[in-house]
């Protein structure tokens, strides 16, 4: 149990962006992949059309 306390914590599996920040000193932009952006745009348009349908259905 004392051996576990002496060992340093393991590096995170996705440590590449943090390592880049340490080397260059500049922040790294985390950009969503193109597919994720397309899905979000599709969901937004879908919700807009559903909202219009609901609004027209009431009146």
């Amino acid at each position: 149990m004392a051996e576990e306390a002496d060992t340093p914590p393991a590096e995170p599996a996705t440590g590449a962006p943090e390592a880049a920040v340490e080397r260059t000193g500049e922040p790294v932009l985390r950009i969503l992949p193109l597919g994720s952006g397309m899905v979000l745009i599709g969901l937004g348009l879908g919700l807009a059309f559903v909202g219009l349908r609901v609004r027209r259905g009431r009146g």
Side-chain angles (χ1 to χ4, degrees):
M1 196 140 161
E3 295 173 3
E4 292 177 7
D6 293 337
T7 58
E11 292 293 321
T14 59
E18 289 83 11
V21 170
E22 291 175 3
R23 281 183 294 198
T24 62
E26 297 179 12
V28 176
L29 294 175
R30 294 186 183 201
I31 301 173
L32 288 174
L34 180 63
S36 300
M38 296 294 281
V39 167
L40 291 174
I41 290 171
L43 286 173
L45 288 172
L47 285 174
F49 286 122
V50 167
L52 287 173
R53 280 286 290 218
V54 169
R55 186 174 171 190
R56 283 187 178 207
R58 287 186 185 176

